Amino acid sequence: MKYAYFSLPLWGCVTNRNATMGILTDIADALAGFVRRNPLTVLAILLLALGAPALLKGIAFFILYAIMGFVLLVIGLMIYFRWRIRRVQRQMEERFGEGGFDPRGFGGAPFGGARPRGETRREGDVEVRRTAEAPEKRVSNDVGDYVEFEETKH
């Protein structure tokens, strides 16, 4: 059976009568596998434990604090992003109405247009609104000329 670096296979142990022995055996197997795969790492850890226990303790605390810091950072980021998403959701509800989002458009009106609360329309009804006539030209007709040009390559 292959193990990851330090995984503990716990399946099947709970229904077993000797569940505790099964778990302990699995832990011992996992440790033996780790030693077989990483003999130099284990040797370095043993030398540190025998020669400089204070240094090993410092390394262990550093790793522990690094892991705890990472976990706290992840939890903090999760809380921040949930708060940020709820804030944006609240802003969207204020901007587009509290009815939520409609697939036809924001706030239930097609193309984002606001519809009065009491007004209801059947699907498929068409409303044509005429806007102002063609806008006035800002530049007189006699201003500007068309120039024909030809691109040449050197």
Side-chain angles (χ1 to χ4, degrees), residues 149-154:
F149 66 94
E150 184 177 321
E151 291 185 22
T152 58
K153 293 183 182 180
H154 294 135

Side-chain angles (χ1 to χ4, degrees), residues 14-87:
V14 177
T15 57
N16 205 352
R17 284 173 92 179
N18 296 326
T20 307
M21 276 309 283
I23 291 173
L24 292 176
T25 306
D26 289 339
I27 290 173
D29 288 342
L31 286 173
F34 181 79
V35 170
R36 264 188 253 120
R37 285 187 307 274
N38 305 303
L40 292 177
T41 304
V42 172
L43 181 64
I45 291 172
L46 286 175
L47 287 176
L48 279 173
L50 294 174
L55 183 63
L56 184 65
K57 182 179 175 184
I59 292 171
F61 276 128
F62 175 77
I63 292 172
L64 176 72
Y65 288 142
I67 291 172
M68 286 176 47
F70 182 73
V71 167
L72 289 175
L73 179 70
V74 167
I75 290 171
L77 287 174
M78 285 174 41
I79 290 171
Y80 170 74
F81 284 123
R82 283 186 183 177
W83 170 78
R84 181 75 175 135
I85 288 172
R86 286 189 183 129
R87 183 174 160 207

